[in-house]
Amino acid sequence: MSDKLFYDVVIVGGGPAGLSCAIRIKQLAPILSVCVLEKGANIGAHLISGNVFETQVLDELIPDWEDRNPPPLSKVTKENMFLFTRKRAFPLPVPPALRNHKNILISLSKLGSWLGEQAEALGVEIFPGFAGAKILYNDEGGVCGVMTGDMGRDKDGTPLSSFQPGVEIHAKQTVLAEGTHGSLTKTVIKHFKLDEHSCPQTYGLGVKEVWEIPEKQHERGRIMHSVGWPMNAKTYGGGFVYHMPEQQIAIGFVIGLDYKNPYISPFHEMQKYKTHPKIKALLKDGRRISYGARTITEGGLQSLPKLTFPGGLLIGDSAGFLNLPKVKGNHTAIKSGMLGAEAILDAINENKVEADSFQNLFKKSWLWKELFRARNIRPGFKSGLFFGLIHAGIQCFGGWIIPYTLGNKPDHEQTQKAERHKKPDYPKPDNVLTFDLPSSVALSSTNHEENQPCHLVRKDPDKNLSAYDEPAQYYCPAAVYEIIKDEHGKNKLQIHAQNCVHCKCCDIKDPAQNIDWTVPQGGDGPNYSNM
């Protein structure tokens, strides 16, 4: 029989959305009991982002945050936008949505850890190493909590022996803050049909590295964004370079997962991006120290599902609050967590099953206004880069008031059969500027216990081999999927689940929706410290 714990609120996910929700609840109602479940070995271990951060939301949540010893940060000092061709970089005007003169550069991993400290100081109970593995339903059909996975870990990563597998966490309200395409979130959305009146969610995959570079090449606080090469004009994608504190730069490439060519490898596009003369010169004599990857939500306002269900609600990237034109989702995640907290208090005070004031609070907030203005920018790029740039410019300068909203289609449906495409020409790794996947995954400190069941579940082992040449072997940024020969000399898909960095790309992009990403043992996965 499972152990049972009881709280007023259980929050699944120790990212900026979940932690801000917990903090806000305890600020407004200290008497309520709140627990946060985090599948990473510690708070921040699974957090990765660009990360240019808008501090206005911290001013709302923790007004004196600057006096509370926050992680190292840099104020944005200079910003540029470029259109890349293979050899050249053409300056573009910085769009209003990307202007960052009041923003900061900060590691999301470290920011998450700091937010965890603020939450614990208010009495929030945080359980790192505990993955939410199953939704619990009551007799009335509402959500009454979650069941954890197999194991928890202490803050230092040590396995906990005092909690047995399958602990039931019961609560009046369950908050899903799992991030992009969460395993519990997708089951709740399906169970309660939360997306029946919204467009399908769409996603991008971001691949990121952190480098230490010589002082003469480092301009603390400088940021750069680019569009164009190595993407063709029909494929959505772009790069970024952020000059972080401590003589480090964050460099990354994001590609929309609605691309058509099944041979595209986002990881190798990122390696190719670094060979551009402008990037190559910046990295000369530098040293790569970290690697990671993560999917982001790109659907916008029209792809948001219903935010509440009987017994709980969705916040952060679990719902899809990211503002893609800004290339930012952490300030929106925190605000959604704060609004969700207020709705939860309304529901508990009024003894209501559903925190249905959340939708109204959201509609009245600056968060809704921000997403409404941005709603048509990403879908405009479905007609190509240059039309997308023109359309985005119109939207940024008042076009958002025109009464139309563009729709979205599922990313997996956009993948075309292999026979219609050619394999891209990717550079061989030189281990100085460009690298292979195994050495990259090693820098993410990813680990999974080998004796646990595979958390990547396939319905049909050979579903995509013949028509799509199994695109998982190309889109996965962690070398999880490999084609090998079986005993009869036929191709088959081999899964190396221990490599998984929890990006969720396979669950999203698989053209047959043949892969189900489920949570592995608690505490397993990447262990980011400065991403």
Side-chain angles (χ1 to χ4, degrees), residues 311-340:
L313 49 79
L314 309 174
I315 58 175
D317 258 357
S318 279
F321 283 104
L322 183 137
N323 183 331
L324 188 69
K326 283 189 173 184
V327 200
K328 298 179 186 67
N330 293 308
H331 71 294
T332 56
I334 289 174
K335 184 61 176 180
S336 73
M338 296 170 65
L339 296 173

Side-chain angles (χ1 to χ4, degrees), residues 479-499:
V480 170
Y481 300 96
E482 180 188 13
I483 300 299
I484 63 172
K485 299 288 185 181
D486 64 14
E487 62 273 19
H488 304 294
K490 294 183 178 181
N491 288 338
K492 75 171 186 177
L493 183 64
Q494 178 79 25
I495 295 181
H496 305 285
Q498 66 273 19
N499 288 356

Side-chain angles (χ1 to χ4, degrees), residues 169-459:
I169 313 288
H170 290 257
K172 297 175 184 176
Q173 289 288 317
T174 300
V175 180
L176 298 182
E178 300 177 285
T180 305
H181 207 65
S183 54
L184 296 184
T185 300
K186 64 185 181 184
T187 63
V188 165
I189 288 176
K190 182 178 180 179
H191 182 84
F192 291 107
K193 299 179 180 179
L194 302 181
D195 59 351
E196 64 179 342
H197 299 301
S198 58
C199 288
Q201 186 59 263
T202 60
Y203 302 86
L205 177 65
V207 181
K208 176 184 174 183
E209 296 176 354
V210 177
W211 285 63
E212 288 181 348
I213 62 172
E215 184 177 359
K216 63 181 180 180
Q217 290 147 225
H218 188 260
E219 298 180 54
R220 181 168 176 165
R222 182 182 180 182
I223 64 177
M224 184 198 80
H225 293 97
S226 69
V227 294
W229 189 90
M231 295 290 90
N232 60 41
K234 294 182 180 180
T235 305
Y236 184 82
F240 64 85
V241 177
Y242 302 152
H243 291 246
M244 307 292 288
E246 300 170 338
Q247 214 166 301
Q248 296 179 358
I249 65 167
I251 178 170
F253 198 83
V254 180
I255 178 171
L257 289 181
D258 58 349
Y259 64 80
K260 301 182 184 302
N261 185 346
Y263 293 118
I264 283 180
S265 165
F267 169 81
H268 288 99
E269 295 293 343
M270 163 64 173
Q271 300 307 306
K272 195 174 182 179
Y273 176 68
K274 291 184 294 180
T275 66
H276 190 278
K278 196 167 190 67
I279 307 298
K280 186 176 181 179
L282 180 65
L283 299 179
K284 181 177 174 57
D285 298 324
R287 181 174 70 95
R288 189 177 69 148
I289 59 175
S290 299
Y291 169 83
R294 190 76 165 108
T295 49
I296 61 173
T297 54
E298 293 188 350
L301 187 67
Q302 55 270 53
S303 292
L304 286 179
K306 185 174 181 287
L307 301 176
T308 61
F309 50 86
L313 49 79
L314 309 174
I315 58 175
D317 258 357
S318 279
F321 283 104
L322 183 137
N323 183 331
L324 188 69
K326 283 189 173 184
V327 200
K328 298 179 186 67
N330 293 308
H331 71 294
T332 56
I334 289 174
K335 184 61 176 180
S336 73
M338 296 170 65
L339 296 173
E342 294 174 24
I344 285 170
L345 295 183
D346 290 343
I348 291 177
N349 290 336
E350 298 173 17
N351 199 26
K352 295 170 67 175
V353 173
E354 190 161 342
D356 50 15
S357 66
F358 188 21
Q359 200 77 36
N360 289 331
L361 290 169
F362 167 52
K363 190 70 179 289
K364 294 177 181 178
S365 71
W366 58 257
L367 177 56
W368 186 89
K369 294 176 182 177
E370 183 175 308
L371 295 183
F372 179 76
R373 293 185 176 194
R375 71 193 187 283
N376 285 324
I377 293 182
R378 172 62 177 96
F381 282 88
K382 294 185 183 298
S383 299
L385 173 62
F386 296 105
F387 176 84
L389 288 174
I390 294 170
H391 181 261
I394 294 171
Q395 293 294 307
C396 288
F397 291 99
W400 55 269
I401 65 175
I402 303 173
Y404 71 93
T405 299
L406 299 175
N408 296 312
K409 295 180 180 179
D411 294 321
H412 69 274
E413 293 182 0
Q414 309 309 306
T415 311
Q416 295 177 346
K417 293 183 178 180
E419 63 186 16
R420 300 181 60 178
H421 295 275
K422 295 180 180 180
K423 291 184 179 181
D425 181 22
Y426 293 126
K428 293 183 178 180
D430 60 15
N431 297 318
V432 176
L433 181 66
T434 59
F435 302 88
D436 61 14
L437 263 173
S439 65
S440 299
V441 175
L443 289 176
S444 70
S445 300
T446 295
N447 180 65
H448 294 83
E449 294 292 338
E450 294 185 3
N451 59 353
Q452 65 178 294
C454 181
H455 66 280
L456 302 164
V457 182
R458 286 179 297 161
K459 303 168 189 174

Side-chain angles (χ1 to χ4, degrees), residues 96-116:
L98 271 179
R99 293 174 186 167
N100 292 287
H101 65 284
K102 292 184 180 181
N103 299 331
I104 63 171
L105 296 168
I106 194 168
S107 160
L108 183 61
S109 310
K110 294 178 180 178
L111 178 61
S113 179
W114 179 83
L115 284 171

